[in-house]
Amino acid sequence: MALNSSPLSAVNSRPDMFGRFGQYGGRFVPETLMPALQELEQAYESAIQDPDFLKDLQSVYREYAGRPTPLYYARRLSEHLGGAQIYLKREDLAHTGAHKINNTLGQLLLATRMGKTRIIAETGAGQHGVATATAAALFGLECHVYMGEEDTQRQRLNVFRMKLLGAEVIPVVSGTKTLKDALNEALRDWVTNVCDTHYVIGTVAGPHPYPQMVREFQRVIGDEAKQQFVNMTGKLPDVLMACVGGGSNAIGLFHPFFDDKSVQFIGVEAAGEGLSTLRHAAPLCAGQVGVLHGAKEYLVQEKDGQISPVHSVSAGLDYPGVGPEHCYYKDIGRAEYVSITDKEAIDAFLTLSQLEGIIPALESSHAIAQVVKLAPTMSKDSTILVNLSGRGDKDVESASRYLEGVIS
Amino acid sequence: MSTQPTVHRGADAITHAFRRRNASGEKVFIPYIMAGDPDLGTTEKIVRSLSGIDVDIIELGMPFSDPMADGPVIQRASERSLRQGLTLKRLLEAVQQLRLDIDTPIVIMTYYNLFFCYGLEAFAHDAAAAGVDGVIVPDLPVEESEEFQKALDAEGIALIYLVAPTSTDERIRKIAQRARGFIYYVSRTGVTGLQKDVSSDLESNLKRLQSLVDLPIAVGFGVSTPEQAASISHLADGVIMGSAIVKLIGETDHMHEQVAAKFLSPIIQVLHNKE
């Protein structure tokens, strides 16, 4: 069984009873929401120990989402880079085209169990919104998705997909009109309609129990990948690589390897136009500790605590905060966090498309870009396992603007 | 800062404001304004004007980039104020100025990150020196408040807690143990903002709350007319009004302090039994 496969591991003792990973996480929300979070925590804890719930989850993962997703040895990319052997965990092949579905299926199964009839979500690139709308259609629940107005424009295709799936898409015009503002608006909706509504947070951020719950719904990535990698190569990978916005695909991959000390974790943040330009979205690489959206975590913020506008070519990484477990991994040195610029990500987008016939999401292209940098410095008998968290169909329009002249 | 020895500051000033009104059957009135909207100089004028019409406690909102507990009116006001570049430090300086001639208790309301980034102990120290009496932090529930409360208690500043319609008895008891000054009862689930009717379960919720806490209770969120203030005043010890005033100030071009005073006078009449 994938879920809770290693209950004796020390890693499963985190977060603590206050939802903290070291000093990070917690529950910084209006009093109105506290009872709802406690209710959610109890419902989640009872569900995750209930064999029937786990059986239902396994069956939707398998029969509906297309799990397990393949592990693919990227021969041409590996040969091209001339160093480490590269393996791709193909979350892009999961239903709806990204890892986001793992979490939304889990949370909506839970919401159904809790008797909630109305579902709300925030979305940046639209992948989480699409995955939520999809699961809501599957379970017959009313669904409202908040999306920054700027994102509704750069991800028009996903807006249409959500509407097609029966969801209402609500453009958010407050603040910077991007993902963080969509989160604010979803929280405002939840605080107003808390009795009948479940809020599906799309990443390992937000107040406890979200970082833990979303991790447990995403750890299927790492659980599968570990088994697949050992089956293919007879050993563990040397490096795990994943992009980090809020950080759910990365935690999903990393977490099951936590106790495998030989395996190095590298999380890749969005450097946007560069860390020195202030137009980036890299809280772990260039942020300070603060409190946003219910959790203490690293943030891209002004010195006085106002949250800074962030930037990334990838709408899914365009977020000023990051999940508390990543902050903890950074502080204890379990993971290394690096950043990749818009331009490097676009180059990697092109490289993977042309060498492997796989168009990666711009988010995942950040992880690929770091592989392009790192693999040539490693020996040929070493290995990198990359989470290809989503497919790039949604990004073709944005990328075409950058690639004008490169592809004619 | 006032030098008169009889003047209370901090949590004591807030308690005293309630005791003074409630002893004579009157209710405490607490208006909220967004500091720095349209600019800090105007805010100072409005505070002086409100103090002049005998409001009991003044709540000063400090804008935050991500005000998740606020509705559109206060969001827009926050954005206007942030464009003026207001910081918590500048707000404390303004309070210090006001304390030269204003005695009305002042409470600062904003989100936790601004206090956290200022430094919790440094803020408590500077706020006490400036003459701030209390703090309301809408995203700091009792489970997360220990560190800030310790810092504020050391300086005698009240950390004012919110209680919501969804709060269980168990949570209310926990909050009651920690609360200072008064309990801020959120009249309904939702964000700050205007509403037409007072929530129907308000009375029963307030009775439940009164049976569990000793501190005075003020009701806020959605109070916008003298009629609403009057109907709530029978149920609680004080009334908080925010969005209605913030909206008015946002729609006003000049003489904000007179406009605000004119708007609030009838409400004060109702609450202070001066009809």
Side-chain angles (χ1 to χ4, degrees):
Chain A
M1 182 162 307
L3 285 152
N4 279 348
S5 61
S6 48
L8 297 177
S9 156
V11 65
N12 282 326
S13 65
R14 276 186 300 274
D16 67 13
M17 61 180 293
F18 300 103
R20 296 195 187 114
F21 301 85
Q23 67 158 312
Y24 304 106
R27 233 175 219 167
F28 297 85
V29 297
E31 171 64 20
T32 309
L33 290 180
M34 285 300 291
L37 288 171
Q38 289 170 333
E39 181 198 354
L40 178 62
E41 180 186 4
Q42 284 161 12
Y44 162 72
E45 281 180 356
S46 117
I48 210 77
Q49 289 165 34
D50 178 352
D52 288 338
F53 178 84
L54 294 177
K55 204 173 124 226
D56 289 348
L57 186 61
Q58 296 307 328
S59 108
V60 285
Y61 275 177
R62 189 175 58 243
E63 291 146 23
Y64 185 76
R67 303 210 70 89
T69 57
L71 183 72
Y72 167 72
Y73 169 56
R75 185 184 313 277
R76 293 196 67 218
L77 180 66
S78 304
E79 283 171 2
H80 172 75
L81 296 174
Q85 306 306 305
I86 297 150
Y87 294 78
L88 306 178
K89 177 61 174 164
R90 297 292 307 275
E91 290 301 295
D92 61 316
L93 294 177
H95 182 41
T96 72
H99 71 291
K100 295 289 186 187
I101 193 79
N102 304 330
N103 171 43
T104 61
L105 288 172
Q107 285 202 43
L108 266 70
L109 257 182
L110 183 61
T112 308
R113 192 180 154 104
M114 291 171 75
K116 303 285 181 183
T117 53
R118 185 174 174 272
I119 299 299
I120 57 170
E122 86 294 336
T123 197
Q127 289 304 109
H128 173 59
V130 167
T132 305
T134 298
L138 175 66
F139 294 113
L141 300 167
E142 178 190 333
C143 179
H144 306 266
V145 180
Y146 290 93
M147 189 169 186
E149 194 183 45
E150 192 182 318
D151 293 334
T152 62
Q153 285 159 10
R154 55 179 168 175
Q155 300 288 346
R156 273 176 299 184
L157 191 62
N158 272 342
V159 173
F160 183 72
R161 287 168 82 194
M162 287 183 268
K163 289 180 178 170
L164 188 63
L165 291 158
E168 186 198 1
V169 179
I170 305 153
V172 175
V173 296
S174 58
T176 58
K177 305 182 178 66
T178 59
L179 178 55
K180 82 175 174 76
D181 309 285
L183 242 143
N184 289 332
E185 211 53 44
L187 282 164
R188 290 177 190 124
D189 180 317
W190 200 29
V191 87
T192 308
N193 302 297
V194 62
C195 295
D196 67 345
T197 298
H198 175 69
Y199 176 23
V200 187
I201 293 185
T203 190
V204 286
H208 180 61
Y210 284 99
Q212 175 186 16
M213 178 171 71
V214 176
R215 175 192 80 199
E216 291 301 310
F217 290 143
Q218 290 294 1
R219 67 171 292 168
V220 64
I221 302 170
D223 285 325
E224 284 177 10
K226 193 177 200 175
Q227 198 173 14
Q228 290 166 323
F229 196 90
V230 170
N231 287 349
M232 274 171 93
T233 68
K235 53 181 189 170
L236 290 172
D238 296 307
V239 173
L240 299 181
M241 186 82 72
C243 65
V244 177
S248 70
N249 91 78
I251 281 292
L253 178 65
F254 295 170
H255 184 77
F257 290 87
F258 187 89
D259 291 330
D260 301 308
K261 301 295 179 206
S262 69
V263 181
Q264 189 192 352
F265 301 169
I266 300 178
V268 186
E269 295 194 303
E273 294 174 3
L275 295 186
S276 59
T277 65
L278 300 175
R279 282 183 50 82
H280 64 79
L284 290 164
C285 294
Q288 292 84 37
V289 178
V291 174
L292 180 68
H293 295 146
K296 188 180 284 184
E297 60 196 30
Y298 282 94
L299 295 171
V300 182
Q301 61 183 346
E302 314 289 331
K303 197 161 165 266
D304 69 342
Q306 303 292 353
I307 306 305
S308 306
V310 288
H311 165 80
S312 167
V313 64
S314 138
L317 302 182
D318 204 351
Y319 181 66
V322 61
E325 194 162 2
H326 284 293
C327 303
Y328 177 71
Y329 282 12
K330 174 189 158 83
D331 283 10
I332 62 169
R334 182 63 188 91
E336 181 191 354
Y337 295 91
V338 298
S339 67
I340 284 292
T341 63
D342 287 351
K343 187 180 177 306
E344 292 167 329
I346 293 280
D347 289 346
F349 178 83
L350 190 63
T351 301
L352 194 69
S353 299
Q354 300 196 338
L355 285 176
E356 296 288 352
I358 297 170
I359 301 175
L362 282 177
E363 291 77 11
S364 323
S365 300
H366 286 71
I368 300 293
Q370 184 61 28
V371 168
V372 169
K373 281 187 180 174
L374 182 67
T377 70
M378 294 169 67
S379 69
K380 286 191 174 171
D381 59 355
S382 58
T383 53
I384 303 175
L385 197 173
V386 196
N387 196 3
L388 192 66
S389 55
R391 68 179 180 219
D393 307 44
K394 70 186 173 60
D395 296 314
V396 167
E397 200 183 325
S398 323
S400 68
R401 285 196 289 274
Y402 282 82
L403 290 170
E404 230 168 82
V406 180
I407 298 173
S408 50
Chain B
M1 260 189 292
S2 176
T3 51
Q4 292 171 332
T6 53
V7 169
H8 303 266
R9 278 273 70 86
D12 289 347
I14 293 168
T15 313
H16 182 74
F18 275 90
R19 205 173 285 150
R20 189 168 70 102
R21 285 290 165 212
N22 296 158
S24 56
E26 298 177 334
K27 305 296 179 178
V28 163
F29 180 58
I30 310 174
Y32 167 104
I33 57 171
M34 176 59 72
D37 177 33
D39 56 65
L40 202 51
T42 306
T43 300
E44 288 180 30
K45 280 186 201 161
I46 298 171
V47 168
R48 288 202 167 84
S49 159
L50 296 182
S51 176
I53 59 169
D54 216 14
V55 306
D56 300 291
I57 297 169
I58 296 169
E59 219 183 285
L60 286 177
M62 168 68 208
F64 178 52
S65 53
D66 294 78
M68 68 160 149
D70 285 302
V73 169
I74 291 180
Q75 287 173 43
R76 294 298 97 77
S78 303
E79 288 165 13
R80 288 193 296 270
S81 175
L82 280 177
R83 280 199 292 271
Q84 303 290 318
L86 186 63
T87 62
L88 203 44
K89 194 166 162 35
R90 286 193 58 204
L91 180 57
L92 291 181
E93 286 163 10
V95 172
Q96 188 146 24
Q97 275 300 307
L98 286 162
R99 277 285 169 252
L100 296 174
D101 54 301
I102 296 294
D103 195 38
T104 311
I106 291 177
V107 168
I108 291 181
M109 179 163 181
T110 194
Y111 293 82
Y112 186 58
N113 197 42
L114 298 189
F115 301 114
F116 180 79
C117 289
Y118 194 107
L120 301 178
E121 283 179 15
F123 173 80
H125 175 268
D126 294 355
V132 170
D133 303 294
V135 168
I136 303 174
V137 195
D139 60 345
L140 191 68
V142 65
E143 284 82 354
E144 302 287 357
S145 68
E146 195 176 340
E147 205 182 343
F148 198 21
Q149 175 126 37
K150 220 166 150 187
L152 293 170
D153 277 352
E155 299 286 350
I157 296 178
L159 178 56
I160 294 153
Y161 286 86
L162 295 98
V163 169
T166 52
S167 303
T168 57
D169 288 2
E170 189 193 341
R171 293 192 57 76
I172 293 172
R173 283 194 198 97
K174 207 187 231 175
I175 292 166
Q177 284 174 8
R178 289 270 197 89
R180 307 281 187 270
F182 68 94
I183 298 278
Y184 186 138
Y185 183 72
V186 175
S187 72
R188 59 187 158 84
T189 60
V191 293
T192 57
L194 312 169
Q195 65 172 1
K196 281 208 182 79
D197 305 306
V198 171
S199 167
S200 57
D201 54 1
L202 183 62
E203 185 167 358
S204 58
N205 277 332
L206 281 171
K207 284 208 170 115
R208 178 167 70 99
L209 181 57
Q210 274 150 358
S211 72
L212 296 168
V213 304
D214 294 327
L215 283 179
I217 298 163
V219 177
F221 278 45
V223 185
S224 50
T225 65
E227 292 72 32
Q228 286 175 342
S231 74
I232 286 170
S233 72
H234 298 301
L235 310 171
D237 306 301
V239 174
I240 302 162
M241 181 184 282
S243 295
I245 308 167
V246 173
K247 181 166 181 280
L248 180 76
I249 289 170
E251 289 164 352
T252 303
D253 291 331
H254 59 288
M255 306 298 272
H256 299 81
E257 66 281 10
Q258 292 180 17
V259 172
K262 194 177 161 207
F263 175 70
L264 294 180
S265 290
I267 294 165
I268 292 168
Q269 297 259 313
V270 167
L271 296 176
H272 291 178
N273 299 341
K274 287 173 185 162
E275 287 154 281

